[in-house]
Each structure stands twice: as structure tokens, then as C-alpha cells.
Amino acid sequence: MRITEDRRNLLKAATMYYSEGKTQAEIAKKMNISRPVISKMLQLARQEGIVEIYVKDENAHSIALALEIEKKYQLNDVIVVPKSIEFSKSTIKHNAAKAAVSYLTTHLKKDTKIGLSWGTTIAEVIDEMPYLSKPGITIHPLVGGIQSQHVYLDANHLTFLLAEKLSAQCSYFYAPALADTIELKELLAESTVVETAMSDARKVELAIIGVGNPLGNTTWKELGYIEKKELIQANNQGIVGDAVASLFDETGQTVMTDLTKRMMGMTIEDLIQIPNVVAIASGSTKGTSIQALLNNHVINTLIIDQSIAEQLN
């Protein structure tokens, strides 16, 4: 089969570059063609299928998914934890926590104000966090406290643990995450300690949050804060997720229910004002919840497992 001179040169340049490992400058000198032309020839070789490039690594698919999500939703960064039939749900959650720690330890600036949510995912992240010296950092809880028997998931407790890990400063939110009545919440919200806690929370530059789905998996449900009748109500009102002190719909906006009105802490609308909201989640039931927050541009950095990532593409 006869080939044209142009195609022969195209094949020659591609072979020297991809098979022989020569630089574009070396090829340009050998073929007596300018370097920009060589660059265009190599691009054309890929476009016409003469050259096909494969990334051969077990994590390549998860990296590709992350890049697609990052571009689609214009996020700062996306980390996708690979899945495997050998991985249990707890293993995947643990891997997501480790990925979050890897991200955070390289993005903690010396004077950063950090806001911390609560729940099992955040607890696991802090458990994985190494001991570092970051005395200029201050950490603030984004929601109130929970019952003493579940203190290991409490935002105040987690804030203290993270501050201890980072040798940092911290403050506390002296109010319940869920007030017994709306009237009690309104009364507490007027107190100086709660006003100060909310003011500190709204000034953070980096918020670390978990995301739940009341109809699937959420800490609120696990701790017994949401009863069966409230789950039915949530379903009827189109609630698809919860984060900090909000239950939200598919648009990512807070839905006002009796439960929401009693929650004390940052809302979804408050989070939107924070420069970098890092959301960490695992489990296929969280896909709809994450999608809703992305729709409302709440999240800036996303750390998820592959099952969620595949739902977002």
C-alpha cells in the first residue's frame, strides 16, 4: 500500500516520539521541521487513531472519573477511591477517610480556620489523622453537641480530637445539635455562647463535612434522632440528604420540617459562603445526596468512592 510523503512523515515522527522516546526537539532537528509542526503532527497522529495512548494502572479509571467530575461541576479537586469486589463497605469508607487525610495534610495552611461537622465519616478521618504541629490553626464545630452516649460522633468532641492531633486551637458549640422544641432552639439561639459559636463557624475558610441520606444511611437515623414517621415525612417532602444542620432536597436547598427547625448549627445556605467545603462520603446510597449539593454549588472539594462517582457521570 502506497503512502503519501506527508503520512510517511507523520508515522516517522510518531514512531520516533512514542516508540524510541526521542524529544520533539530531537525529532524536529532530525527531520528538519520546526518543533511546533512536530507537536501538531503528534496531535494529528492521535486524532487519526495512528497512536492510541493507554494509562496502564489499576487506579486509572478512578482518576479519569475524578477528572470528569471536577470538570463537569467546576470543583477545586476530586478524589475517587477505587472499588473492588474484595472491599467491604467499611473498607471503602476507611479508604475514603485515608484519602481525605492525605488531601487535608497537604492543604492545611498555618493560619487556617477549619469548620468540622460530625458523624461516623468525620470520626474516621480524625482517627486516621497523624499528629502534626499546626499551632496557628483554629478549629470550630459547625453543629451543636449530641447525647453523651454517642460522644465519639459529637462535633465538639471531634473538634477537640482534631485540635489535639494538630496541636491547634479550638472552640466549642455549647448547644444540642437537635433541640427538644422549636421554642427551645429559638431561646438558645439568642444566647451569647450560641451566637459566638455560629459567628465562629461562619468565618471558617475550610469546612470538613460528611453527607447522609435519611432514606438510606445517615447518622441522624443511626442515633435514633429520626423516627419512622419523620422518615415518611422526609420522603413525602422530597428530602434526599442531610449535611451539618440541614435536610435538603434534590436542588441542594434546605427543606424546612419540624426536624430541620429544631437543628442547631450551620445550614446548607451558610456552607455556600465558605471558600472551601470538603465533602467526604462513601456508599451508593449517598450518590443522590452528593448530586444535590453539587447542583447547588455547595461543595468545592469532593472525596468519594467509585460507586458514587459513577452515578455522577
Side-chain angles (χ1 to χ4, degrees):
M1 178 180 175
R2 184 178 179 276
I3 61 172
T4 65
E5 183 65 12
D6 287 344
R7 189 167 182 82
R8 189 186 71 82
N9 284 333
L10 191 66
L11 290 168
K12 184 177 180 180
T15 300
M16 285 193 288
Y17 187 75
Y18 291 106
S19 297
E20 298 179 5
K22 294 186 182 299
T23 67
Q24 292 185 21
E26 289 172 334
I27 298 169
K29 183 177 181 180
K30 185 172 183 64
M31 296 182 65
N32 197 27
I33 300 174
S34 70
R35 190 175 179 279
V37 171
I38 294 295
S39 179
K40 290 179 180 179
M41 291 171 69
L42 295 173
Q43 184 178 0
L44 182 61
R46 292 195 296 271
Q47 290 174 349
E48 293 192 358
I50 295 171
V51 174
E52 292 183 349
I53 300 173
Y54 299 94
V55 179
K56 296 178 68 176
D57 188 279
E58 60 181 3
N59 296 319
H61 180 56
S62 60
I63 294 296
L65 282 172
L67 290 171
E68 289 173 13
I69 294 168
E70 184 180 320
K71 182 178 180 180
K72 182 176 180 179
Y73 298 101
Q74 298 182 328
L75 301 176
N76 293 343
D77 202 355
V78 177
I79 300 173
V80 174
V81 177
K83 67 179 180 181
S84 170
I85 58 174
E86 299 175 356
F87 293 167
S88 64
K89 290 182 180 179
S90 60
T91 298
I92 293 173
K93 186 175 185 176
H94 183 66
N95 289 343
K98 290 198 293 185
V101 168
S102 179
Y103 170 83
L104 291 170
T105 52
T106 57
H107 287 79
L108 292 177
K109 298 179 182 178
K110 62 179 181 179
D111 297 322
T112 305
K113 293 182 177 66
I114 299 174
L116 204 61
S117 183
W118 66 302
T120 58
T121 298
I122 303 303
E124 193 143 0
V125 170
I126 294 171
D127 188 53
E128 284 295 317
M129 183 69 68
Y131 284 91
L132 303 170
S133 180
K134 303 284 184 179
I137 286 176
T138 54
I139 306 164
H140 306 281
L142 300 178
V143 293
I146 58 176
Q147 297 176 11
S148 58
Q149 62 264 40
H150 303 299
V151 68
Y152 62 97
L153 303 178
D154 177 76
N156 286 320
H157 178 65
L158 295 175
T159 294
F160 168 76
L161 291 179
L162 182 58
E164 191 175 45
K165 286 283 185 82
L166 300 180
S167 298
Q169 305 298 312
C170 68
S171 66
Y172 301 105
F173 199 126
Y174 292 113
L178 186 67
D180 290 337
T181 65
I182 296 173
E183 292 74 21
L184 177 59
K185 175 188 173 177
E186 292 173 347
L187 184 63
L188 291 171
E190 294 176 356
S191 68
T192 302
V193 289
V194 172
E195 286 183 348
T196 300
M198 286 299 297
S199 176
D200 288 340
R202 291 189 176 108
K203 292 175 184 175
V204 302
E205 300 146 317
L206 170 66
I208 307 169
I209 69 168
V211 180
N213 182 342
L215 305 179
N217 183 27
T218 175
T219 303
W220 288 104
K221 181 179 175 182
E222 290 176 12
L223 299 184
Y225 283 117
I226 299 180
E227 298 177 357
K228 186 175 181 180
K229 64 179 182 180
E230 290 169 325
L231 286 173
I232 295 172
Q233 183 185 32
N235 187 36
N236 292 338
Q237 292 184 288
I239 292 170
V240 301
D242 71 84
V244 282
S246 284
L247 298 174
F248 55 86
D249 59 19
E250 63 181 5
T251 68
Q253 299 183 44
T254 300
V255 177
M256 297 309 295
T257 68
D258 175 70
L259 195 66
T260 308
K261 291 175 183 176
R262 292 189 287 124
M263 291 179 177
M264 300 197 68
M266 294 277 281
T267 65
I268 292 299
E269 289 68 29
D270 291 323
L271 285 180
I272 294 174
Q273 306 304 317
I274 295 175
N276 188 12
V277 175
V278 180
I280 309 159
S282 65
S284 58
T285 60
K286 305 286 184 71
T288 304
S289 308
I290 294 292
Q291 178 73 71
L293 295 181
L294 291 171
N295 289 341
N296 198 20
H297 308 289
V298 177
I299 299 169
N300 306 102
T301 301
L302 186 58
I303 301 169
I304 52 176
D305 67 18
Q306 191 174 323
S307 65
I308 297 176
E310 289 170 347
Q311 293 177 55
L312 298 177
N313 277 288

